[in-house]
């Protein structure tokens, strides 16, 4: 018994010694880190006071603090930032679908502002700004060295005022200036149309209007066509869609999926992760879907494209998307300001992160540059249009009724109209051709 007690006591003593030997250095390290943080805060205070007292011009203390906060956040990644009360109010307006400005989604790369995408129907879109353009100067003032929010501030101004931006574009030898008149941006989040037997749903952004507008217009187009049986499929056009609300991306994806994961988010801690699954119900009733993406498709657009692609619910065509696979949380702060902080990465159903990589299309289809229309002379036009029916004395086709001949002519006119679309929008025409092909195969079953 005495031996047992001595052994137990010895074990306790050894345990105390071991704990002390292990814990003491850890506590010392933690204390050193804490002291170092306080020293750096003291340094910040010293610099702040020196600037207030000795800078060549008088400065506003609150502006200095805001700049320091913003610098701390923007040093993390291009999407984290401080929102002043004024900027926070503008952001809330944007999620509702109406705000002032040029109509471009931007990020920062190599010190310059890079256009993620122009928004449909906005001054920037009408001025010819393209996804991937670099903006190097605003009204002759260089943006090099400015943080993103500072550069964006230079582009803001009263509605109706003019701004001149200098653009560097791949394929152009020299930078060029573009004049834009600022306007109130009223987003048309969804546009729809029917091309032949296909319904095209153009989603320009993801705000709180996107899903309800899409569902409403999809139903209207199907009804106008005579019901779902008259539709051969749907094109979801996400080109130059810079993203927006995660909740809307989930709803749009869920609209075409009956089950399975849509997207998952993973934060710093395991408990910070989340997973979003589809509920039963497919607005397209199983009809084929083609999703169009390009380098201007980012964030929420990539969630939708990735989810439908991974579930084999849609064929994705176009070019590689932007590659923004991070989630930002907007956290309200005192004085009506807010902080936009990157809190997680998101993953497609197959578990792939598209951060910096983007979504790769199933079929790569580049949009060819517009070419000047060639003027055909009369002889060339006649040569292209001549057929057997134009030959003198050719035989008539007496195996078909007049109604059958008229149907063939109508089908030919529809095919020629589709061919004209290739000149206007080659990628969209390619998508519609895919739906036609799938429909033709399905009709032979």
């Amino acid at each position: 018994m005495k031996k047992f007690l001595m052994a137990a006591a010895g074990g306790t003593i050894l345990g105390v010694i071991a704990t002390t030997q292990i814990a003491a250095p850890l506590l010392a390290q933690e204390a050193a880190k804490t002291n170092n943080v306080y020293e750096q805060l003291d340094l910040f205070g010293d610099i702040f006071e020196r600037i207030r007292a000795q800078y060549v011009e008088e400065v506003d203390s609150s502006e200095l603090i805001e700049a320091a906060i913003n610098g701390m956040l923007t040093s993390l990644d291009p999407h984290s930032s401080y929102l002043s009360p004024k900027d926070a109010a503008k952001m809330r307006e944007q999620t509702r679908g109406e705000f002032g400005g040029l109509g471009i989604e931007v990020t920062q790369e190599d010190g310059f502002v890079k256009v993620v995408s122009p928004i449909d129907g906005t001054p920037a879109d009408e001025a010819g700004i393209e996804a991937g353009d670099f903006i190097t100067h605003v009204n002759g003032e260089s943006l090099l060295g400015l943080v993103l929010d500072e550069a964006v501030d230079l582009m803001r101004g009263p509605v109706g005022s003019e701004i001149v931006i200098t653009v560097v574009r791949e394929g152009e030898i020299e930078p060029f200036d573009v004049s834009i008149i600022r306007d109130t941006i009223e987003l048309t989040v969804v546009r729809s149309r029917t091309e032949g037997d296909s319904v095209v749903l153009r989603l320009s952004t993801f705000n709180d209007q996107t899903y309800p507008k899409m569902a409403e217009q999809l139903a209207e187009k199907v009804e106008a066509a005579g019901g779902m049986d008259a539709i051969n499929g749907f094109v979801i056009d996400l080109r130059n869609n810079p993203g927006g609300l995660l909740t809307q991306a989930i709803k749009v994806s869920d609209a075409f999926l009956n089950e399975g994961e849509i997207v998952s988010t993973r934060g710093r801690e395991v408990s910070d992760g989340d997973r979003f699954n589809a509920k039963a119900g497919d607005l397209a009733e199983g009809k084929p879907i083609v999703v169009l993406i390009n380098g201007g498709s980012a964030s929420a657009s990539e969630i939708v494209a990735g989810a439908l692609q991974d579930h084999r619910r849609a064929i994705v065509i176009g070019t590689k998307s932007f590659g923004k696979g991070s989630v930002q949380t907007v956290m309200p702060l005192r004085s009506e300001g807010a902080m936009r902080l990157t809190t997680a990465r998101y993953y497609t159903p197959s578990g792939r992160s598209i951060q910096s990589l983007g979504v790769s299309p199933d079929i790569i289809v580049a949009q060819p540059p517009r070419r000047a229309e060639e003027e055909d002379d009369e002889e060339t036009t006649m040569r292209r249009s001549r057929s057997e029916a134009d030959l003198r004395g050719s035989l008539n086709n007496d195996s078909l009724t007049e109604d059958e001949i008229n149907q063939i002519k109508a089908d030919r006119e529809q095919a020629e109209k589709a061919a004209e679309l290739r000149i206007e929008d080659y990628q969209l025409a390619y998508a519609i051709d895919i739906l036609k092909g799938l429909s033709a195969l399905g009709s032979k079953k």
Side-chain angles (χ1 to χ4, degrees):
M1 185 66 179
K2 288 182 180 179
K3 289 182 179 179
F4 175 77
L5 290 173
M6 288 177 65
T12 303
I13 293 169
L14 287 172
V16 171
I17 294 172
T19 303
T20 305
Q21 288 177 339
I22 294 171
L26 292 177
L27 291 171
Q29 289 176 13
E30 192 63 33
K33 286 181 182 178
T34 303
N35 291 334
N36 188 41
V37 169
Y38 284 123
E39 287 174 6
Q40 290 176 318
L41 288 174
D42 286 340
L43 175 61
F44 173 80
D46 289 343
I47 294 172
F48 176 73
E49 290 301 332
R50 290 279 183 92
I51 292 172
R52 284 209 308 171
Q54 299 178 13
Y55 186 64
V56 65
E57 295 176 354
E58 187 175 349
V59 292
D60 187 300
S61 298
S62 61
E63 288 182 1
L64 281 178
I65 296 294
E66 282 191 8
I69 294 170
N70 198 42
M72 178 168 55
L73 286 165
T74 55
S75 70
L76 301 173
D77 64 74
H79 308 293
S80 295
S81 63
Y82 170 71
L83 299 171
S84 66
K86 187 178 184 181
D87 292 338
K90 286 183 178 179
M91 185 205 65
R92 287 189 287 271
E93 288 175 5
Q94 182 169 347
T95 60
R96 288 196 297 268
E98 183 174 324
F99 56 98
L102 304 181
I104 50 175
E105 179 80 9
V106 295
T107 186
Q108 197 161 36
E109 187 175 304
D110 298 329
F112 292 108
V113 173
K114 183 178 182 180
V115 177
V116 176
S117 65
I119 301 170
D120 290 351
T122 61
D125 181 43
E126 293 172 359
I129 299 300
E130 298 179 1
D133 284 349
F134 282 90
I135 300 174
T136 61
H137 294 74
V138 171
N139 292 329
E141 185 174 344
S142 175
L143 302 184
L144 186 63
L146 298 181
V147 298
L148 185 59
D149 283 350
E150 291 173 332
V152 170
D153 283 341
L154 283 179
M155 289 187 274
R156 289 183 177 137
V159 170
S161 60
E162 183 183 18
I163 178 175
V164 178
I165 61 175
T166 303
V167 174
V168 173
R169 178 176 296 167
E170 185 177 356
E172 298 286 342
I173 299 175
E174 296 290 336
F176 56 93
D177 290 339
V178 178
S179 175
I180 304 176
I181 303 297
R182 298 180 180 95
D183 198 359
T184 299
I185 310 302
E186 296 182 6
L187 294 180
T188 304
V189 294
V190 179
R191 289 185 174 91
S192 61
R193 70 196 225 219
T194 302
E195 289 286 345
D197 297 327
S198 305
V199 173
V200 180
L201 298 167
R202 164 70 184 145
L203 278 56
S204 61
T205 190
F206 285 88
N207 63 23
D208 55 14
Q209 301 176 30
T210 303
Y211 170 75
K213 290 290 185 184
M214 183 196 75
E216 176 187 339
Q217 293 190 33
L218 183 151
E220 288 176 357
K221 293 300 178 186
V222 170
E223 183 181 359
M228 194 64 76
D229 290 341
I231 299 295
N232 67 10
F234 296 84
V235 177
I236 302 175
D237 187 354
L238 298 176
R239 291 174 297 175
N240 293 331
N241 182 322
L245 299 177
L246 174 64
T247 52
Q248 289 293 307
I250 292 168
K251 287 182 178 180
V252 169
S253 303
D254 193 3
F256 304 104
L257 295 172
N258 278 311
E259 59 181 2
E261 182 181 308
I262 294 172
V263 65
S264 62
T265 62
R266 303 177 200 174
R268 182 171 173 177
E269 304 294 337
V270 176
S271 58
D272 295 334
D274 212 341
R275 193 179 302 273
F276 302 91
N277 296 311
K279 302 179 184 69
D282 178 0
L283 294 184
E285 297 182 14
K287 292 285 185 177
I289 297 173
V290 173
V291 174
L292 278 170
I293 62 172
N294 65 3
S297 307
S299 189
S301 299
E302 296 171 295
I303 290 176
V304 175
L308 298 183
Q309 183 182 54
D310 281 3
H311 282 288
R312 298 291 186 264
R313 183 63 188 90
I315 299 171
V316 178
I317 73 169
T319 54
K320 182 177 75 69
S321 64
F322 185 75
K324 182 183 177 293
S326 60
V327 179
Q328 282 69 48
T329 302
V330 177
M331 305 173 183
L333 301 173
R334 63 187 66 182
S335 303
E336 302 297 321
M339 173 173 64
R340 187 192 288 117
L341 187 68
T342 299
T343 54
R345 289 183 173 88
Y346 65 74
Y347 295 78
T348 67
S350 64
R352 58 186 167 129
S353 169
I354 59 171
Q355 176 61 31
S356 300
L357 296 176
V359 173
S360 297
D362 298 306
I363 304 173
I364 296 176
V365 181
Q367 188 83 305
R370 290 184 178 274
R371 290 184 301 226
E373 295 183 5
E374 298 177 0
E375 294 185 4
D376 295 331
D377 56 34
E378 186 176 347
E379 182 181 347
T380 303
T381 304
M382 287 182 63
R383 185 168 62 249
R384 286 179 180 172
S385 62
R386 285 179 67 83
S387 67
E388 172 70 17
D390 297 314
L391 298 179
R392 194 189 303 264
S394 62
L395 297 175
N396 293 326
N397 188 327
D398 57 3
S399 64
L400 300 174
T401 66
E402 186 174 346
D403 287 344
E404 288 172 329
I405 291 173
N406 288 336
Q407 182 60 49
I408 289 173
K409 289 180 178 179
D411 291 343
R412 183 179 299 149
E413 286 177 6
Q414 189 175 4
E416 288 172 352
K417 185 179 178 182
E420 290 174 3
L421 181 61
R422 294 191 190 106
I423 300 172
E424 176 191 337
D425 189 338
Y426 182 78
Q427 290 173 320
L428 178 58
Y430 197 104
I432 290 171
D433 285 345
I434 288 176
L435 292 178
K436 283 182 182 177
L438 293 173
S439 177
L441 289 175
S443 65
K444 294 182 180 180
K445 290 182 180 179

